[in-house]
Each structure stands twice: as C-alpha cells, then as structure tokens.
Amino acid sequence: MIARILACFAVLILGIGPASAQSSPAWSRPTAPFHIAGPIWYVGTEGLGVYAVVTREGTILVSGPLAESAGLVERNLATIGVRPHQIKWILNSHAHFDHAAAFAELRRWSGAELVASAGDAPALRRGRHEADNENGHTRFAPVPVDRIVRDGEQVRVGDVALTAVLTPGHTPGCTTWTTAIVDHGRRLNVVFPCSVTVAGNRLIGNRAYPGIVADYRRSFDRLATLPADIVLPMHPDLVDLLGRAKRRDAGATDAFVDRTVLPRLVTDARRDFASALAREPGR
C-alpha cells in the first residue's frame, strides 16, 4: 500500500509516468567501469549502458542513465581517469527517461555539448517522451540540445569519429552510433544501436507519431546492413555485456567480438514488432 501511494505521488506531483515508477532495480545498481576495446570504456550502471570513448584530445559520452545515477557515472569516469572538462560531447541515443534523465546534470557537471537528431530534440528540450505510449508521457529534466545531427553526420574528437545512423521508431529521433576502432592492431566495427523494441508504443492510430510503423520497418532494414564486430546497446543485458567482461577477464580475449549479435537483435525485434502489430486494436 505504501509503495502504491509513493508511486501515485511520483506520477501526480513529480510528473513521472508509470514506466519510471516500475524501472528495474538493475538500472540504478552500481557496477565498476571496465575497458571494452580500443578507446571504449563502460561507465554505466548494471542495467543501463553508458559508454566513454576516451582519447587524448577529449572524451565522448554515449547515452546516459537515470537521473539519480548521474553521480555513479561521474565517479566511474573519475575511476578511469576522465575529468569533467575532458568530456566534449554527450550523444543521445533516444529521449526516454531511462537514458536521457541524467543529461541535464552530466551536461552541467562536464560543460560538454549535448548532441541529438532533430526527431528527439523537442522531447529533450521539453523533458518528456513524445508519441502515444501505454506508459504515458514519462518525464525527466529538460535539457538544451547544443547540436543537431543529420543522418551520416559525424561527431569527432581527435582521430576518433562516431557516425549518426538515424533509426527511428522506438522514438522519432532514435539514433544509432557507429565507429571503427583499432584494438591490438585489429580494426573493428562498433555499433551502439538505438533500441528497436516496441516498448509500449502505440503502432496503429498514433496521433503524435503517425509514421511510426514505416519508421520501424525502415530501421530494421537499416540496422541489418550495418557491419558490427562489437555491439554495445543501451540495455547491456541484451548482449550479456557484463558477462562478456567477466569472460574476457578470465582469458577469453575476444569475448566482446561477436558478429552474430546485431543480426539476432534485429531478427528478434522484427518478430516482436510483428506480434505487437497483430495485437493492435483495429487489426
């Protein structure tokens, strides 16, 4: 009963929608940072992926955690030797509370510029998820967007560039990021995929996002074409990322390299999308 009252308080007073009241405990559970490959480090929580691309010229942060976990990310960055002023860019994956709620604090703390596509910029600036969703309009701290990227545009620090690949559907501005790195003399293609799960989105009659079905289908096709040696999603459990880190530490040097991961994620997402679409009222 007390938990229900507190959840209602969060919805009515704080403006937080049902999804945030039901977030997974793993999303805010601390985990130690770890190196993945080349310049890429994991600095997120147990259940929400945040990645640091670290170079001598500066650091790029990919995605963010819940608002209350901003301090955890800041401490993880300090642990790997990254100081606030070294962070140059913060890249949006998609404007949902579980990935965007800490942006305002991380941007203030570091002085970095927030990068997003035009499709998600309004949601970030307003601090609420856009489009008709069974979870309602979940809210988070509004944050200015310093730079709008188009499909194929790069964000660069030193000799490292991350390329924006627009994969809308999950949100109107869902952005996948890709890069090529060198790890132990080997060139590897790395993909930070934006989610393509339905996640409560209304697919038929979505007044706020009428093109959602076509966008999902185009994004499935787009992701299926990307070369991906290493896949780093915003929910690390999708690829057992922490388990891969343990296997690497135990001696499996190629634990993060798996070219079957992205095709499998796309196949699973297509199947789940088709099932959700078939269940929609009016079909």
Side-chain angles (χ1 to χ4, degrees), residues 10 134 146 261 269 278:
E134 66 183 22
D146 302 291
V261 167

Side-chain angles (χ1 to χ4, degrees), residues 76-130:
N76 280 347
L77 287 164
T79 297
I80 66 172
V82 175
R83 297 179 179 179
H85 72 274
Q86 294 174 305
I87 303 170
K88 306 303 181 184
W89 303 102
I90 301 171
L91 308 186
N92 174 62
S93 166
H94 57 283
H96 280 168
F97 80 98
D98 48 336
H99 306 289
F103 280 161
E105 164 57 18
L106 291 171
R107 180 178 176 275
R108 180 206 63 77
W109 169 76
S110 65
E113 296 189 19
L114 178 63
V115 181
S117 67
D120 267 7
L124 293 167
R125 291 170 177 149
R126 294 170 187 161
R128 75 171 205 170
H129 167 65
E130 302 293 337

Side-chain angles (χ1 to χ4, degrees), residues 132-155:
D132 299 336
N133 188 287
E134 66 183 22
N135 295 313
H137 294 287
T138 52
R139 298 184 183 275
F140 49 88
V143 60
V145 176
D146 302 291
R147 176 178 168 186
I148 300 294
V149 287
R150 297 182 297 273
D151 188 60
E153 191 170 343
Q154 293 185 330
V155 176

Side-chain angles (χ1 to χ4, degrees), residues 203-217:
L203 300 176
I204 303 299
N206 193 317
R207 292 170 295 177
Y209 190 1
I212 189 170
V213 169
D215 275 356
Y216 266 114
R217 287 172 170 158

Side-chain angles (χ1 to χ4, degrees), residues 16 20 23 27-28 45 48 50 64-75 96-106 139-142:
I16 301 173
S20 58
S23 60
W27 290 3
S28 55
T45 66
L48 292 176
V50 184
L66 297 170
E68 60 265 32
S69 299
L72 296 177
V73 171
E74 292 165 4
R75 289 191 290 276
H96 280 168
F97 80 98
D98 48 336
H99 306 289
F103 280 161
E105 164 57 18
L106 291 171
R139 298 184 183 275
F140 49 88

Side-chain angles (χ1 to χ4, degrees), residues 45-67:
T45 66
E46 183 180 305
L48 292 176
V50 184
Y51 303 91
V53 183
V54 183
T55 76
R56 291 181 179 179
E57 292 81 8
T59 294
I60 300 173
L61 204 61
V62 182
S63 197
L66 297 170

